[in-house]
Amino acid sequence: MLYVLLSLGMLGYALAAQSPGVFLLAFFLIAVNAWLVKTRRFTPLPRLLANVVTLGGFFFVFAQVKAGINSPILLIAQFLVFLQIIKLWELRGNRDYAQLLVLSLLLMVAAAISTASLLFGIVLIAYLFFSLYCCLLFHLKVETDHAKATYSLPEGRVNEATLLQDQRYLSGSMRRLTGLVATVSVLSATAVFLFFPRGTGAGLLAPLQFRPSQALTGFSDQVSFQNIARIQQSTEEVARVRLSRDNKPVTIAPLLLRGTTLDVYKGNDPSLGQAWGWARSHSRDEDSRSVVRDRLEVEAEAESQHLLLQDIQLKPTGTPVLFSVAGATSMASSRDIQVRYSIRDGVLQSYAPLMQELRYMVAATGELPAPRSSLLDTAAQAFGLVQPRAPASVIDPQIAAYARRPEVTGGLASKRAASPEPQAIDEEIAHNIEHYLQSNFVYTLDLTNTHRLEGQDPMVAFLYDFKRGHCEYFAGAMTLICQSLKMQARMVVGFKCDEYNTFGQFFTVRQSHAHAWVEVLTPSGWKTFDPTSGREDPSARKNAGLWAKAKSFFDYLEYSWAQSVIAYDSENQTNLITQVEAGMTNTAISGQTMMGDLQRKLLDPSSWLWTDFRTISTIMGLMVAGVLIAIGWFIRDRWRLRRRATRMGIRSLPTAEQLRLARQLGFYDDMLNLLDRRQIIRPEHQTPLEFSRSLTYLSSEVFETVQRLTGIFYRVRFGGINLSPGQRRHLEVTLGHLQELLP
């Protein structure tokens, strides 16, 4: 039990720290120790060596804490893992057992602080039951050792019959005691959980720390192409999104979650910041609306009907970006958070990076916001002042020349330059650019040869040299081509997701779903374009098969766990109480209505209940008689079994064991009654075996039958064998044959 308990503790730590290597190593050392103990080859580590190894582990973990490699809680848990392994290999006495139990419990506490996943919750529940059973066994061991030391009784002088009797009932008693304590504990924990919910603030029971999720792309206000070659696919979960409209689930394929917009390409200009990267120009406070509490009204004049409602559960990302479908009109979050909404591009951001999981609701139209001017622009126009413009993108002349190729824009670039209303054909030009990039360029994440750039503009290298890249190259190239033609365009970074969970009716957003696309201003408003060609989506290969369905079901359970258990607070408690009260009220009203209808039918002479009252009375009388007969049969059967237990000398056993043996050994009691009717009576001082051996004066066939039945009696009584119904019927046939053989 101790080995199982330690393994569960290591597994809980591995799930919390996402360190399967540590679990495999610890499990291997535990298994080796168990094998050595089993083969009696185990020798405890010397105390000095154990202390040296412990100090080495302490300094190793301390160095990791100073370097900030991991969270302090998980590093403390890692040190607890070291201590348990060392203590297991120097195990000598009860004090070491107690220390192992305490260390294992502390390890699970540290893991519980660091994660809230469903899988860890299952492991934690199993660990609590095993730890309870193990602690009871340890208490029994300590008491036994104390009793042996007190009485100084040698092992050879212990009564074997007493030991067998204790061993027979010990495991059952321990299981019943464990079940009783566990049941009381579960009921108490459920009551505490329901009636004393945790607060929504950062109190004692709130999450203490989370590790930010490392996103693939799109989690910052700037995109740099110098580090883009190190991007790798990751299936780590970022968010879960549930969509509904008019209280009905909605499926959008694919789901585009806008994160932030980037409309300024900095080129190699040092004054604009890091070279070869994108930035967002519309980030001024006067161009946004803020909220300090848990609700933000973006558009007060927007219609509240038929809006797309998004229930988003966002993991800690370490960035201020909040993701949403286009056209947000209002937002409500699970806790107080400062949120900024940009009117120009419809971007939601918090004032501080998200270091804890956040659940928020966003109502949206699904349409991109119309182009609007900021308050300063409006005031400047009213007073005839010149408002400084946002910095423009630094576009290489080679990109401008590339944009005027006829095959890129479909020959519309020159037509736009000469047109008195150039914006009229912007949407057609954008479609042509989108189709050209999709048809002539290749999507890939393998950019290991980017060293060939050597200071060259990556956008120029993408268009003229590489002709392959990831989504940010495609989106960046199309944005610059449009801007070089004097079109208003911006790159959008966010997530493009089509992994829909049919069980829970929600989208699972992963880091591998990170994507970049383009928005172009047309006469009919902002339009979305995705120039990326053949984007590889790992989830597309997982949409079929039994394993995919099982994984989808587990994701649904994880989502339900997070929504109903982890997020349970005082507001959820109020909703639960309201639902219970409404259910009880509806049940009481329904019961009262049903009883009233029944009373009216009973008093109505024309009712079939009144006309068939005699039939119903007969049926009810038969049912009552049947119940009384069943009760009488049960009492008679128990009385017969108790009498049989008295005749067989097993009344000293527990009641349940008496009844079991009385049923199992009924054949032997019937045999004794059969012999008794032939004046063959077993003396009280003789055992069943001695009595069977004394019947040598009977015929050989009768003697062998009695001997065989007596042997079966001993195997059932003392061997723990249970006779099946078929075997008991066979014994009844044997008794009938014995009755024919007796004189």
Side-chain angles (χ1 to χ4, degrees):
M1 292 304 303
L2 182 64
Y3 289 131
V4 173
L5 190 68
L6 294 179
S7 300
L8 283 175
M10 303 297 179
L11 179 60
Y13 165 76
L15 292 174
Q18 299 180 5
S19 302
V22 175
F23 169 72
L24 293 176
L25 178 60
F27 184 78
F28 172 75
L29 294 176
I30 292 174
V32 171
N33 182 273
W35 177 76
L36 292 175
V37 172
K38 180 73 174 178
T39 57
R40 300 183 181 277
R41 301 178 183 177
F42 174 72
T43 302
L45 285 177
R47 295 288 189 187
L48 179 60
L49 179 59
N51 292 336
V52 171
V53 176
T54 301
L55 289 175
F58 172 78
F59 286 117
F60 174 74
V61 173
F62 182 75
Q64 287 185 307
V65 172
K66 289 192 64 177
I69 297 177
N70 210 334
S71 65
I73 294 294
L74 289 177
L75 291 176
I76 293 174
Q78 184 178 354
F79 181 63
L80 292 174
V81 171
F82 292 157
L83 287 181
Q84 288 182 70
I85 297 299
I86 296 169
K87 183 57 64 176
L88 182 65
W89 281 84
E90 66 162 351
L91 193 61
R92 288 181 173 85
N94 289 334
R95 184 184 66 175
D96 298 324
Y97 281 109
Q99 291 176 355
L100 273 175
L101 293 175
V102 173
L103 289 174
S104 180
L105 180 61
L106 292 176
L107 178 63
M108 287 301 289
V109 171
I113 293 174
S114 305
T115 184
S117 68
L118 173 62
L119 189 57
F120 174 80
I122 296 174
V123 173
L124 177 61
I125 293 174
Y127 174 87
L128 293 177
F129 283 102
F130 275 100
S131 64
L132 174 61
Y133 188 59
C134 196
C135 288
L136 291 174
L137 289 177
F138 175 66
H139 173 72
L140 184 63
K141 179 183 184 303
V142 173
E143 292 297 324
T144 303
D145 294 342
H146 180 69
K148 288 180 179 180
T150 301
Y151 291 103
S152 301
L153 187 63
E155 292 288 341
R157 296 182 58 184
V158 177
N159 191 337
E160 294 184 3
T162 303
L163 290 179
L164 290 175
Q165 186 79 357
D166 291 342
Q167 292 174 2
R168 185 172 185 179
Y169 299 108
L170 175 62
S171 58
S173 300
M174 294 297 294
R175 286 194 296 269
R176 286 193 294 271
L177 179 60
T178 304
L180 176 62
V181 177
T183 302
V184 174
S185 301
V186 169
L187 293 177
S188 302
T190 304
V192 171
F193 173 79
L194 291 176
F195 296 105
F196 300 96
R198 67 172 186 169
T200 57
L204 179 62
L205 297 179
L208 296 184
Q209 51 83 29
F210 287 93
R211 293 187 304 163
S213 174
Q214 298 299 321
L216 177 64
T217 59
F219 269 65
S220 66
D221 289 339
Q222 297 183 359
V223 172
S224 174
F225 292 99
Q226 293 178 341
N227 299 325
I228 214 67
R230 292 198 289 268
I231 292 178
Q232 296 179 354
Q233 291 280 14
S234 172
T235 59
E236 185 178 349
E237 189 175 298
V238 176
R240 292 190 180 102
V241 182
R242 175 173 286 176
L243 304 179
S244 63
R245 179 181 281 116
D246 299 331
N247 296 324
K248 297 180 181 179
V250 175
T251 303
I252 300 176
L255 175 65
L256 285 178
L257 292 176
R258 302 172 80 248
T260 186
T261 62
L262 308 170
D263 56 354
V264 176
Y265 185 62
K266 297 179 290 187
N268 199 23
D269 188 352
S271 62
L272 297 178
Q274 188 177 7
W276 314 124
W278 286 87
R280 178 167 174 261
S281 63
H282 306 310
S283 59
R284 292 169 293 180
D285 290 340
E286 59 271 10
D287 191 24
S288 63
R289 297 182 182 178
S290 304
V291 62
V292 178
R293 299 188 180 275
D294 63 346
R295 187 163 186 84
L296 167 66
E297 293 294 339
V298 176
E299 298 287 349
E301 67 275 8
E303 297 183 2
S304 59
Q305 296 180 348
H306 307 298
L307 290 176
L308 186 65
L309 185 61
Q310 310 161 73
D311 186 353
I312 304 174
Q313 186 176 339
L314 183 62
K315 302 290 183 180
T317 60
T319 71
V321 181
L322 300 178
F323 300 94
S324 169
V325 174
T329 61
S330 64
M331 172 188 167
S333 65
S334 59
R335 54 186 172 86
D336 290 349
I337 182 174
Q338 291 183 327
V339 179
R340 178 171 56 236
Y341 175 77
S342 176
I343 300 175
R344 290 196 179 188
D345 51 7
V347 170
L348 281 169
Q349 287 188 341
S350 62
Y351 279 84
L354 294 179
M355 305 307 294
Q356 294 183 8
E357 186 171 300
L358 177 67
R359 181 185 178 188
Y360 57 98
M361 310 278 290
V362 178
T365 61
E367 302 290 337
L368 290 172
R372 301 176 61 170
S373 299
S374 67
L375 296 178
L376 287 183
D377 291 337
T378 304
Q381 293 175 4
F383 290 97
L385 302 176
V386 178
Q387 179 69 8
R389 294 285 182 179
S393 296
V394 179
I395 304 177
D396 192 283
Q398 299 182 70
I399 297 177
Y402 197 92
R404 285 163 178 78
R405 291 184 178 184
E407 65 271 18
V408 176
T409 61
L412 297 178
S414 57
K415 182 179 178 180
R416 185 186 191 281
S419 174
E421 296 182 358
Q423 292 81 9
I425 58 174
D426 283 356
E427 185 171 356
E428 185 178 357
I429 294 175
H431 278 296
N432 291 337
I433 298 173
E434 177 188 46
H435 178 72
Y436 176 80
L437 292 176
Q438 290 176 347
S439 305
N440 296 276
F441 290 74
V442 179
Y443 175 84
T444 182
L445 288 177
D446 183 14
L447 298 175
T448 54
N449 57 350
T450 51
H451 62 277
R452 294 165 49 190
L453 293 176
E454 296 179 355
Q456 186 182 4
D457 191 330
M459 290 288 91
V460 175
F462 171 73
L463 292 173
Y464 285 91
D465 186 9
F466 293 141
K467 296 186 180 296
R468 62 188 181 93
H470 50 75
C471 54
E472 286 183 348
Y473 278 91
F474 283 85
M478 180 175 177
T479 303
L480 289 181
I481 290 174
C482 291
Q483 289 181 354
S484 66
L485 297 176
K486 308 302 181 183
M487 298 167 56
Q488 293 192 44
R490 62 197 181 199
M491 180 169 63
V492 184
V493 285
F495 290 96
K496 181 181 181 180
C497 173
D498 56 2
E499 186 176 337
Y500 186 72
N501 190 300
T502 56
F503 293 98
Q505 298 178 335
F506 60 85
F507 286 89
T508 302
V509 184
R510 306 185 185 278
Q511 293 180 7
S512 56
H513 297 147
H515 192 47
W517 59 94
V518 181
E519 292 176 354
V520 178
L521 183 61
T522 68
S524 56
W526 288 97
K527 297 294 182 181
T528 299
F529 300 90
D530 190 355
T532 305
S533 63
R535 181 172 183 264
E536 300 172 357
D537 191 357
S539 64
R541 299 189 296 269
K542 303 178 183 178
N543 290 333
L546 183 61
W547 171 250
K549 293 181 180 179
K551 185 176 181 298
S552 179
F553 180 70
F554 184 80
D555 288 341
Y556 163 67
L557 294 179
E558 184 84 29
Y559 179 79
S560 302
W561 167 265
Q563 296 290 90
S564 303
V565 179
I566 302 302
Y568 183 81
D569 54 14
S570 56
E571 182 178 354
N572 298 107
Q573 182 194 37
T574 304
N575 295 335
L576 178 62
I577 294 175
T578 303
Q579 293 176 4
V580 172
E581 290 179 348
M584 294 177 64
T585 303
N586 294 334
T587 303
I589 294 174
S590 301
Q592 186 176 4
T593 303
M594 184 177 62
M595 291 301 296
D597 294 341
L598 180 60
Q599 185 179 8
R600 285 193 299 271
K601 289 181 179 179
L602 289 174
L603 298 177
D604 186 5
S606 62
S607 173
W608 66 271
L609 289 174
W610 182 265
T611 57
D612 293 344
F613 181 74
R614 181 175 299 178
T615 304
I616 295 175
S617 301
T618 304
I619 295 175
M620 294 294 294
L622 292 175
M623 292 177 60
V624 172
V627 171
L628 293 177
I629 292 172
I631 294 174
W633 180 87
F634 175 78
I635 295 174
R636 178 179 175 276
D637 181 66
R638 283 299 180 96
W639 176 73
R640 289 178 62 251
L641 291 176
R642 287 296 183 92
R643 286 190 60 190
R644 180 177 292 175
T646 302
R647 290 196 303 269
M648 299 173 64
I650 57 176
R651 287 299 298 271
S652 60
L653 298 177
T655 303
E657 189 69 9
Q658 284 184 40
L659 299 177
R660 186 188 73 83
L661 288 177
R663 288 191 180 93
Q664 291 281 307
L665 300 177
F667 72 93
Y668 186 76
D669 186 57
D670 293 339
M671 185 193 73
L672 292 180
N673 292 333
L674 185 62
L675 294 175
D676 188 50
R677 288 195 294 269
R678 270 65 174 183
Q679 302 301 318
I680 304 174
I681 302 173
R682 179 174 72 90
E684 294 184 359
H685 66 275
Q686 283 187 344
T687 64
L689 182 60
E690 292 173 342
F691 173 67
S692 64
R693 290 175 178 175
S694 67
L695 303 179
T696 54
Y697 58 88
L698 297 175
S699 63
S700 60
E701 191 172 359
V702 173
F703 178 76
E704 290 177 358
T705 302
V706 174
Q707 286 276 68
R708 190 166 63 253
L709 292 175
T710 303
I712 297 174
F713 167 82
Y714 273 94
R715 287 201 296 272
V716 174
R717 174 66 179 85
F718 303 105
I721 297 176
N722 286 320
L723 299 176
S724 64
Q727 292 173 331
R728 285 151 67 176
R729 287 193 296 269
H730 180 71
L731 289 175
E732 291 176 0
V733 175
T734 304
L735 288 173
H737 181 64
L738 178 63
Q739 184 177 5
E740 296 176 357
L741 294 175
L742 287 171

